[in-house]
Amino acid sequence: MSAVRKRGTGVKEEDETLCCCEYLNRRGERSHVAACCCDCEDLDEACDRLFKNEPQKPETLSRVADVVTDRLRVPWLWGGARKVELSVVPPLVILPALLHLAALHLLLGVLVLTALPGLLLWYYYFTHRKKGRTLFFLSLALFSLVYMYYLFISEVVPRGGIGQAQVALVSVGVLLTLAALVLTKREPGTVGPDQELVHSTVTYYSLSSDTENKDVTVTGRAESPDDRRSWCSTCRVVRPPRAGHCRICGVCVLRLDHHCVWINSCVGQRNHRSFLATLVLFLATSVYGISLVLRSVCPGQNLATALLYCPGVYDQYSSALCFTCSWYCTIVTAGLLHLLLVQLVNISCNVTEREARIALREKTARTSCWGLIVDTGVYSQGFYGNWAEFMTMADKQNPKSATNLV
């Protein structure tokens, strides 16, 4: 079979309507999902060298990976087949497999639930060091939420003892968490060029390209304290105060807090409130769901100690699976609870995570409570003033930036 391609026509490929199973490959040629294993010269060359016991070329594996990534698609009704990001797939397979394995025995559960956070941290630092974007953590977060809800409906509810009102409350919590996540993913607030400044008589002197963060002196008018701003040589814009450049997303974000791998996006001025709401809704739903599961699989036990002592829970596989998922949710909840606590402290001090890291690195911050509270003292307006600014900052008009005119 040969790949379905459109050649030698005067009609542009982009102007033709693609069926649900067709797509334009990375070479701009028309192809079909059924031809995923056809005409793969790179794979043929790699296999030929393997059979001949010859060393592989350094670029062979990367080219094979590019071909596989380009051809791994699912049919789509509008605009042809859509590409599937490879980093989305592992959580869909690994998480259920590990949880079912951990439910077989107590020792297996301890081993899996201990190794899982370590593997996640290793993969996080591996991808963070390369400054690359990955959908692995977002896929894991979404699938964990959906899969835990599925097990709650299919395994816990049929055991009895859980009313319709409690099921409805958990369902509403899951839906609200997903809605808040969608709002968080929409727009963090990127720095864009201001056309009024671009076409004005104000001159912005460009800086050397070998640096990323320098000050820019504005001439042509009286200099104000806001005139000295940070210059981004990558985006070629003058950043407003508290804005920062994300090397993973490749954009400058207003009041950049941090890049969150769990949402695969930055947290900035426009989405910081919805990010905080997502954390609160998830934690409330998770804690309530864990309490319902433990009350079902560990009847008569105190909820405060049921995770540590639940006799007979491994006698039935269904109970063991629910108990294991409770422990998994507890670990995730503990991590996000720490994140929420850090966020609340930073908001109360009017400090972003990025500013806190810079101040700690430069040793200009005041710390307390074993480093949990980091106060730079630069933007703080008092507790109530800081929270008032946080609750209204997303509604403010985004300040624009002048582009490089030289």
Side-chain angles (χ1 to χ4, degrees), residues 337-357:
L337 183 61
H338 175 266
L339 176 60
L340 176 63
L341 182 60
V342 172
Q343 288 290 310
L344 294 177
V345 170
N346 287 345
I347 295 170
S348 301
C349 298
N350 204 345
V351 176
T352 64
E353 184 67 23
R354 172 177 172 269
E355 293 167 350
R357 289 198 303 266

Side-chain angles (χ1 to χ4, degrees), residues 10-75:
V11 183
K12 293 183 178 181
E13 300 270 358
E14 292 78 7
D15 296 336
E16 296 184 4
T17 303
L18 298 173
C19 78
C20 63
C21 296
E22 292 181 320
Y23 64 94
L24 297 179
N25 60 23
R26 59 195 179 102
R27 299 178 180 176
E29 301 169 343
R30 192 163 182 155
S31 188
H32 196 279
V33 293
C36 60
C37 298
C38 303
D39 294 345
C40 185
E41 294 85 359
D42 297 321
L43 182 59
D44 293 339
E45 180 183 356
C47 294
D48 184 60
R49 287 181 171 272
L50 180 63
F51 293 144
K52 292 181 179 179
N53 198 20
E54 297 178 356
Q56 299 287 346
K57 294 182 179 179
E59 68 277 4
T60 299
L61 295 180
S62 61
R63 290 190 302 184
V64 171
D66 293 338
V67 172
V68 173
T69 304
D70 184 55
R71 296 187 180 187
L72 186 61
R73 297 175 181 259
V74 293

Side-chain angles (χ1 to χ4, degrees), residues 242-293:
R242 310 194 75 177
H245 180 80
C246 177
R247 289 180 289 178
I248 299 178
C249 296
V251 294
C252 287
V253 179
L254 296 168
R255 200 181 182 275
L256 175 63
D257 189 81
H258 70 285
H259 179 90
C260 182
V261 295
W262 297 105
I263 64 173
N264 192 35
S265 178
C266 289
V267 177
Q269 178 175 305
R270 295 288 301 277
N271 66 346
H272 204 161
R273 286 187 311 185
S274 57
F275 175 75
L276 190 67
T278 304
L279 289 178
V280 172
L281 289 170
F282 176 84
L283 289 173
T285 305
S286 179
V287 171
Y288 184 65
I290 291 172
S291 65
L292 293 178
V293 173

Side-chain angles (χ1 to χ4, degrees), residues 213-335:
N213 301 314
K214 285 188 178 180
D215 290 332
V216 174
T217 302
V218 183
T219 61
R221 57 183 171 89
E223 182 175 323
S224 65
D226 293 334
D227 285 337
R228 297 187 63 81
R229 298 176 178 177
S230 184
W231 168 260
C232 178
S233 60
T234 304
C235 300
R236 306 191 70 80
V237 295
V238 183
R239 293 194 298 257
R242 310 194 75 177
H245 180 80
C246 177
R247 289 180 289 178
I248 299 178
C249 296
V251 294
C252 287
V253 179
L254 296 168
R255 200 181 182 275
L256 175 63
D257 189 81
H258 70 285
H259 179 90
C260 182
V261 295
W262 297 105
I263 64 173
N264 192 35
S265 178
C266 289
V267 177
Q269 178 175 305
R270 295 288 301 277
N271 66 346
H272 204 161
R273 286 187 311 185
S274 57
F275 175 75
L276 190 67
T278 304
L279 289 178
V280 172
L281 289 170
F282 176 84
L283 289 173
T285 305
S286 179
V287 171
Y288 184 65
I290 291 172
S291 65
L292 293 178
V293 173
L294 291 179
R295 188 178 292 116
S296 176
V297 300
C298 303
Q301 294 293 323
N302 191 333
L303 292 179
T305 59
L307 279 172
L308 301 176
Y309 180 71
C310 186
V313 71
Y314 282 92
D315 294 342
Q316 293 183 355
Y317 183 77
S318 176
S319 301
L321 180 61
C322 296
F323 184 74
T324 302
C325 292
S326 297
W327 259 109
Y328 172 74
C329 293
T330 301
I331 295 173
V332 174
T333 301

